[in-house]
Amino acid sequence: MLTPEYLDSLPEPVLELFRQVEEDILEDMARRISKMGAVTDTADWQRWRLEQIQLIRSDITAQLSKITGLTQQELRKLFQEAAAQAIQADDKIYRAAGLSPGSPNDNPELLQLLNGGMQQTSGTFQNLTRTTANTATQQFERALDRAWLQVSSGAFNYQAAIRTAIKSLASTGMQAIQYPTGHIDTLEVAVRRAVLTGVGKTTGEICLAHAEEMGCDLMEITAHPGARPSHMEWQGKIVSLSGRKGYLSKSDIGYGTGNGFKGWNCRHDWFPYFEGLSETAYPREKLREYENQTVTYNGKTLSYYEATQQQRYIERQIRRWKREYLMMDTVGPYCDKCDTTQASMKLAQWRAAEKDFCKQTGLDQDGFRSQVEGFGRSEASRATWEAKKLESAANSLFSYGNTEKNMAAYLKDKAVIDMLSEHGVKYIQRISEKEIIVDAGKPTITGMRVHAVDNLINKPDRAGMTQEQAQTFVDSAKLTLYQQDRKNLKFLAQNGYSILNLNHELVTAVPQKWRKKYDQYLEVIKS
């Protein structure tokens, strides 16, 4: 018998191998996408695109093939240890029942089942290498084509399109299997399922054959809190291998099916049960406790299963932002808009959410499930420092009641905050979708745009709006706004306003008395 906890941790050694490969490949994808800006001609783009796709496919195949030997070694070790532990636990029960089980090493049938299970799972991983090479290459191809389309249509510049493509890759992780329904499994999901299902199915068959050899007809199924609802119906109960009345049958528990006992990701096992000798390990009271176990989170009652699913979701988000941090850090030298700011902030938020969730629900944190290879102490330290720095900046600019809301507002406007800073303009407060209060100082107008000259000549009310007059509006401005849709600065004085571009050229100047609607914002400037 193997415990649910043992089975849950079983895939970890193999997952470590594949996580490093996944991160290396994702970072390679990010580097290649970040260099697409150097290709401008359509014909050159098509040639470059085909070359990158072929290189990525070769790289994925080579990387996965490189760890094939290590994977086979780990699988062999996992299978042998799991089978030995399952038989050893069952043999204790057989001996207590007065039976004399022999050595499994002298049992050809058990050895054949073990070797067959190892070979089948080994074949699954060989297939996984092929499908991953195809699916992940298609994932890269879609990201590349989407970025090119965004740029060629004029919807995005190169930097923004590259950033969007990299975020898309980081959000899902490396894709491994695409089903006819359109559903896609990531590499991590596929690896975990292959190991857990392969070992579970094999040890289940070994224990079944061993039971038949020992003349044992009844098997008790293990139980654990958080089982999926369909498995909760039969966990902790007795199964008759021959189908005797009064007990569950193998078909009742879905044995041999993907969704049933010993199917996909199943963490249940079974062990010998002898009528009149054995005491059930899971009395009805215990099973009811498992079935009715709930936790409270943010005032809402969740079943234990729902709570574990919520925890898995939080862990996926932590992995996602760790991946994005590493990928953005990798392409930073090639892409001005690709920085680790958002990843650092989001990672801090999801880590805090995980800590709060576990504190409220009593569930234990599982550091392995949120692990991303390459994201070690150094990266964690830098991300934490960056998040604290950004929290401070967000709280200094926004006042929405708490840091989380301030951070959300900061992230939304970070691009414009950074752009204004590059031009020596300080962001103060957004007052509408199109206008932001800023501090731009009192710049000297460097010249007049054609529009300003046309207004001066052709509009009677602008006859006196010379560059000198426009400068007086700038120098005496009571309020300065950044017009985001036009990318201009509007200097509002008591008797008129001047609009300058970010190069301090005059776009237009208008004689107009101060409007009272702006009075409310003067206090913002003083504070």
Side-chain angles (χ1 to χ4, degrees), residues 221 275 335:
I221 300 175
E275 270 183 318
C335 174

Side-chain angles (χ1 to χ4, degrees), residues 94-344:
Y94 290 132
R95 291 190 182 97
L99 301 175
S100 301
S103 170
N105 293 327
D106 298 329
N107 190 319
E109 184 182 2
L110 299 186
L111 292 175
Q112 186 176 358
L113 287 171
L114 177 61
N115 290 327
M118 285 193 293
Q119 289 174 7
Q120 186 174 15
T121 304
S122 176
T124 298
F125 274 91
Q126 289 174 357
N127 290 335
L128 184 61
T129 297
R130 289 192 292 271
T131 58
T132 300
N134 291 331
T135 306
T137 300
Q138 291 169 8
Q139 180 185 12
F140 171 73
E141 186 176 351
R142 287 193 299 270
L144 203 59
D145 288 347
R146 190 183 304 116
W148 175 260
L149 180 62
Q150 289 171 341
V151 172
S152 59
S153 67
F156 290 80
N157 60 29
Y158 276 109
Q159 302 286 330
I162 290 169
R163 182 174 183 271
T164 300
I166 292 172
K167 287 179 71 65
S168 173
L169 290 171
S171 68
T172 59
M174 191 166 148
Q175 297 174 348
I177 304 173
Q178 182 167 5
Y179 298 93
T181 60
H183 175 77
I184 297 175
D185 280 340
T186 63
L187 183 61
E188 176 154 346
V189 168
V191 169
R192 178 177 287 277
R193 183 178 58 230
V195 174
L196 182 53
T197 307
V199 173
K201 179 175 179 290
T202 301
T203 54
E205 291 174 346
I206 288 174
C207 290
L208 172 60
H210 197 31
E212 291 174 343
E213 178 190 22
M214 301 305 298
C216 178
D217 182 55
L218 301 179
M219 303 288 279
E220 184 172 0
I221 300 175
T222 58
H224 61 86
R228 68 191 85 164
S230 60
H231 287 202
M232 199 173 285
E233 295 175 1
W234 42 253
Q235 71 169 359
K237 296 182 180 178
I238 312 298
V239 180
S240 168
L241 301 181
S242 64
R244 286 160 54 189
K245 289 185 177 180
Y247 299 100
L248 294 176
S249 67
K250 287 187 287 186
S251 62
D252 289 333
I253 61 175
Y255 183 63
T257 66
N259 287 319
F261 175 69
K262 290 296 178 183
W264 303 311
N265 289 326
C266 180
R267 291 189 290 129
H268 290 99
D269 203 1
W270 51 10
F271 53 94
Y273 181 88
F274 291 92
E275 270 183 318
L277 295 176
S278 302
E279 288 188 13
T280 178
Y282 304 98
R284 290 185 178 181
E285 295 76 15
K286 190 67 176 177
L287 292 177
R288 276 198 294 269
E289 180 185 325
Y290 285 169
E291 290 172 10
N292 299 327
Q293 189 169 355
T294 60
V295 299
T296 302
Y297 179 58
N298 290 341
K300 184 179 178 181
T301 300
L302 303 175
S303 70
Y304 199 87
Y305 175 75
E306 290 171 333
T308 59
Q309 296 307 296
Q310 178 65 23
Q311 187 176 19
R312 298 292 90 82
Y313 172 76
I314 293 172
E315 291 159 352
R316 286 196 298 273
Q317 296 307 307
I318 293 174
R319 291 201 305 274
R320 171 205 171 162
W321 293 108
K322 284 182 178 179
R323 281 194 301 266
E324 180 166 319
Y325 181 95
L326 291 172
M327 293 171 74
M328 291 295 182
D329 193 44
T330 297
V331 302
Y334 315 107
C335 174
D336 294 338
K337 289 186 178 293
C338 300
D339 61 44
T340 57
T341 301
Q342 186 180 26
S344 296

Side-chain angles (χ1 to χ4, degrees), residues 443-491:
T444 300
I445 298 174
T446 58
M448 298 179 70
R449 302 289 294 174
V450 173
H451 181 66
V453 175
D454 285 344
N455 286 346
L456 181 64
I457 296 172
N458 300 317
K459 292 189 176 182
D461 65 324
R462 311 284 176 89
M465 296 297 102
T466 61
Q467 182 171 326
E468 291 72 20
Q469 179 58 52
Q471 186 67 55
T472 64
F473 292 154
V474 172
D475 294 340
S476 61
K478 299 166 67 175
L479 180 70
T480 305
L481 302 176
Y482 174 64
Q483 299 175 310
Q484 189 171 354
D485 57 334
R486 298 178 181 179
K487 297 183 179 179
N488 289 328
L489 295 168
K490 186 177 183 179
F491 295 83

Side-chain angles (χ1 to χ4, degrees), residues 67-94:
I67 63 167
T68 297
L70 293 173
T71 302
Q72 301 306 322
Q73 291 175 22
E74 285 293 345
L75 287 174
R76 192 176 301 109
K77 181 180 177 182
L78 289 176
F79 271 82
Q80 290 173 345
E81 288 180 353
Q85 184 162 327
I87 292 174
Q88 186 178 18
D90 287 1
D91 281 353
K92 287 182 180 180
I93 300 174
Y94 290 132

